[in-house]
Amino acid sequence: MVLALCFALTGCGHKSSGIYTEEEMNEMHDITQEVVHWSVAYDNVISHSIPSTTTACLSSDPNFAMELKTANIDPDKPMIALTFDDGPKYSSTSSILKTLKKYNARATFFVVGGNVNGDDEDLIRQMVSQGCEIGNHTYSHVDLTTLDADGIKEEISKTDDVIEKITGFPTKLCRPTGGAVNDTVLSSVDKPLILWYVDTRDWESRDASSIVAKIENYVTDGAIILMHDIYDSTAEAVAQIVPELAEDGYQMVTVSELAYLRGVTLENGKQYYDFTKNDSSSASDDTDSTETETQSST
Ligand code: NI
């Protein structure tokens, strides 16, 4: 608990000497003002199941951390989930994080475990400190439908091990490579499977204005938007579209927050495309509707 709160207080946890510069003190003060940062620490504790009276108290209400994290979100106003696959890649991912921070926006990063090296660990910590969510996008970016149950479980657990070593807790959500699922994937991945509503096809165009136009044309309240944080063109598009979305009144939250705010309890082995208020969308048990998504490179 103490470690988790210290982590929140010091942002990236880069200092432990107890002697801070004025700038660092100001930064710490700002951070303590933000409920979201505290809630990340609580979320950390709950997810990590540290056996203590405090944790037991917090864990008695599983929605407590989510309530804190979403305290600054107006549930009656439009909200969307920006999602980024295939990273991290230092230059583009850090640029995206910078834009998100500037506009008080959060996103979900579906990380490929095998891509996390060296400096990337700092990026993962930065994601957490900014209130972003880290999802599982397999370890080696393999098409899960080509594997048996053991192979699928290994791809997911290896990435969870990487993330847990850095953040203290495993991922809660999975985005299958290419959006490809079959019955074995559905029964073997012990997490909700998060697909998407708006496919920017950023991997194909590698063009910021095209990515921006796709989002402008298809964004709607409750949408999950698919991008990849490994391209400079995507980082450029994010720098353009995030202020625009904020100006239009969209609150940018994580996938888990979006589901929570829309009253949806995410279930393992189920697919989710969006959390719009349209009843015909959202969760699906079948695999037919992923046909078009499998053409994506995600
Ligand atoms: Ni991918």
Side-chain angles (χ1 to χ4, degrees):
M1 181 70 180
V2 172
L3 282 175
L5 292 178
C6 286
F7 175 73
L9 281 167
T10 55
C12 296
H14 57 293
K15 275 274 197 304
S16 57
S17 66
I19 301 166
Y20 297 96
T21 65
E22 191 180 345
E23 189 185 348
E24 284 171 326
M25 288 297 288
N26 287 338
E27 188 185 344
M28 285 166 63
H29 179 75
D30 289 341
I31 289 171
T32 57
Q33 301 283 312
E34 295 179 40
V35 169
V36 64
H37 288 253
W38 285 99
S39 66
V40 169
Y42 285 127
D43 200 21
N44 190 346
V45 172
I46 291 166
S47 303
H48 208 43
S49 298
I50 297 168
S52 72
T53 312
T54 309
T55 307
C57 177
L58 289 171
S59 300
S60 66
D61 183 356
N63 286 333
F64 180 63
M66 199 54 86
E67 274 180 37
L68 282 174
K69 283 192 82 172
T70 57
N72 60 346
I73 304 295
D74 185 340
D76 297 324
K77 289 185 177 168
M79 60 187 85
I80 52 172
L82 302 178
T83 66
F84 298 95
D85 291 7
D86 295 4
K89 183 180 174 192
Y90 201 85
S91 57
S92 43
T93 305
S94 54
S95 167
I96 288 166
L97 282 168
K98 201 173 163 186
T99 301
L100 294 174
K101 189 175 185 181
K102 188 173 177 185
Y103 294 94
N104 200 26
R106 304 195 280 272
T108 304
F109 291 86
F110 288 97
V111 166
V112 173
N115 283 354
V116 180
N117 301 298
D119 288 347
D120 296 333
E121 294 189 7
D122 283 338
L123 282 179
I124 301 288
R125 291 188 194 94
Q126 196 184 334
M127 289 171 190
V128 175
S129 74
Q130 286 187 208
C132 292
E133 180 167 27
I134 298 167
N136 193 316
H137 195 46
T138 77
Y139 187 80
S140 58
H141 205 252
V142 63
D143 179 345
L144 292 177
T145 63
T146 65
L147 303 178
D148 62 14
D150 286 345
I152 293 167
K153 286 177 184 296
E154 189 182 351
E155 277 288 322
I156 301 302
S157 66
K158 278 172 76 178
T159 289
D160 271 353
D161 289 346
V162 167
I163 299 302
E164 186 165 11
K165 205 174 278 182
I166 301 168
T167 66
F169 49 97
T171 66
K172 290 177 180 169
L173 309 176
C174 173
R175 173 165 284 153
T177 309
V181 297
N182 58 17
D183 288 343
T184 313
V185 172
L186 293 176
S187 60
S188 305
V189 177
D190 292 329
K191 301 179 192 297
L193 297 155
I194 308 301
L195 286 306
W196 54 86
Y197 185 87
V198 178
D199 184 356
T200 61
R201 300 188 80 84
D202 56 343
W203 56 274
E204 190 176 51
S205 72
R206 309 283 180 93
D207 177 65
S209 55
S210 166
I211 299 163
V212 167
K214 280 271 196 312
I215 297 173
E216 286 173 341
N217 289 339
Y218 297 107
V219 69
T220 189
D221 184 17
I224 297 173
I225 295 170
L226 168 64
M227 287 180 273
H228 299 79
D229 54 317
I230 56 172
Y231 304 117
D232 290 339
S233 47
T234 298
E236 200 185 319
V238 167
Q240 288 179 42
I241 196 71
V242 164
E244 203 178 292
L245 290 167
E247 179 74 22
D248 289 345
Y250 284 105
Q251 303 171 103
M252 287 162 267
V253 298
T254 69
V255 170
S256 288
E257 290 165 357
L258 183 56
Y260 172 76
L261 289 162
R262 286 289 145 87
V264 176
T265 302
L266 296 172
E267 294 177 39
N268 294 349
K270 277 202 171 183
Q271 302 168 79
Y272 298 87
Y273 299 89
D274 64 90
F275 298 95
T276 62
K277 291 174 179 172
N278 180 351
D279 290 342
S280 66
S281 54
S282 291
S284 168
D285 285 317
D286 62 64
T287 58
D288 294 346
S289 50
T290 61
E291 198 173 335
T292 53
E293 280 83 357
T294 56
Q295 293 167 8
S296 175
S297 82
T298 194

mmCIF file of all heavy atoms in Angstrom, residues 85-86 137 141 228 297-298, ligand 1:
data_model
loop_
_atom_site.group_PDB
_atom_site.id
_atom_site.type_symbol
_atom_site.label_atom_id
_atom_site.label_comp_id
_atom_site.label_asym_id
_atom_site.label_seq_id
_atom_site.Cartn_x
_atom_site.Cartn_y
_atom_site.Cartn_z
ATOM 1 N N ASP A 85 -2.547 -0.500 -30.519
ATOM 2 C CA ASP A 85 -2.003 -1.862 -30.556
ATOM 3 C C ASP A 85 -0.542 -1.883 -31.001
ATOM 4 O O ASP A 85 -0.041 -0.927 -31.604
ATOM 5 C CB ASP A 85 -2.786 -2.714 -31.567
ATOM 6 C CG ASP A 85 -4.202 -2.995 -31.110
ATOM 7 O OD1 ASP A 85 -4.637 -2.435 -30.085
ATOM 8 O OD2 ASP A 85 -4.880 -3.765 -31.808
ATOM 9 N N ASP A 86 0.069 -3.013 -30.742
ATOM 10 C CA ASP A 86 1.377 -3.429 -31.307
ATOM 11 C C ASP A 86 2.602 -2.810 -30.646
ATOM 12 O O ASP A 86 3.712 -3.208 -30.952
ATOM 13 C CB ASP A 86 1.461 -3.173 -32.824
ATOM 14 C CG ASP A 86 0.486 -4.018 -33.616
ATOM 15 O OD1 ASP A 86 -0.309 -4.760 -32.994
ATOM 16 O OD2 ASP A 86 0.501 -3.942 -34.854
ATOM 17 N N HIS A 137 -1.884 -7.931 -25.959
ATOM 18 C CA HIS A 137 -2.000 -8.140 -27.408
ATOM 19 C C HIS A 137 -1.071 -9.283 -27.832
ATOM 20 O O HIS A 137 -0.444 -9.217 -28.872
ATOM 21 C CB HIS A 137 -1.657 -6.831 -28.136
ATOM 22 C CG HIS A 137 -2.061 -6.793 -29.585
ATOM 23 N ND1 HIS A 137 -3.286 -7.200 -30.037
ATOM 24 C CD2 HIS A 137 -1.386 -6.390 -30.696
ATOM 25 C CE1 HIS A 137 -3.348 -7.041 -31.364
ATOM 26 N NE2 HIS A 137 -2.203 -6.559 -31.781
ATOM 27 N N HIS A 141 2.700 -11.510 -31.154
ATOM 28 C CA HIS A 141 1.812 -11.022 -32.207
ATOM 29 C C HIS A 141 1.424 -12.126 -33.184
ATOM 30 O O HIS A 141 1.256 -11.911 -34.381
ATOM 31 C CB HIS A 141 2.451 -9.831 -32.951
ATOM 32 C CG HIS A 141 1.426 -8.933 -33.583
ATOM 33 N ND1 HIS A 141 1.207 -8.860 -34.941
ATOM 34 C CD2 HIS A 141 0.529 -8.086 -33.036
ATOM 35 C CE1 HIS A 141 0.243 -7.998 -35.197
ATOM 36 N NE2 HIS A 141 -0.190 -7.515 -34.053
ATOM 37 N N HIS A 228 -2.595 2.190 -33.938
ATOM 38 C CA HIS A 228 -1.357 1.479 -33.601
ATOM 39 C C HIS A 228 -0.306 2.518 -33.204
ATOM 40 O O HIS A 228 -0.031 3.439 -33.992
ATOM 41 C CB HIS A 228 -0.875 0.659 -34.803
ATOM 42 C CG HIS A 228 -1.871 -0.382 -35.236
ATOM 43 N ND1 HIS A 228 -2.977 -0.065 -35.985
ATOM 44 C CD2 HIS A 228 -1.936 -1.709 -34.979
ATOM 45 C CE1 HIS A 228 -3.684 -1.178 -36.179
ATOM 46 N NE2 HIS A 228 -3.073 -2.187 -35.591
ATOM 47 N N SER A 297 -4.503 -5.312 -39.670
ATOM 48 C CA SER A 297 -3.181 -5.800 -39.281
ATOM 49 C C SER A 297 -3.019 -5.825 -37.779
ATOM 50 O O SER A 297 -1.973 -6.181 -37.283
ATOM 51 C CB SER A 297 -2.099 -4.904 -39.872
ATOM 52 O OG SER A 297 -1.936 -3.765 -39.068
ATOM 53 N N THR A 298 -4.033 -5.415 -37.040
ATOM 54 C CA THR A 298 -3.830 -5.188 -35.615
ATOM 55 C C THR A 298 -3.326 -6.405 -34.857
ATOM 56 O O THR A 298 -3.629 -7.505 -35.183
ATOM 57 C CB THR A 298 -5.129 -4.674 -34.952
ATOM 58 O OG1 THR A 298 -4.792 -4.178 -33.666
ATOM 59 C CG2 THR A 298 -6.148 -5.762 -34.812
HETATM 60 NI NI NI B 1 -1.612 -6.058 -33.731
#
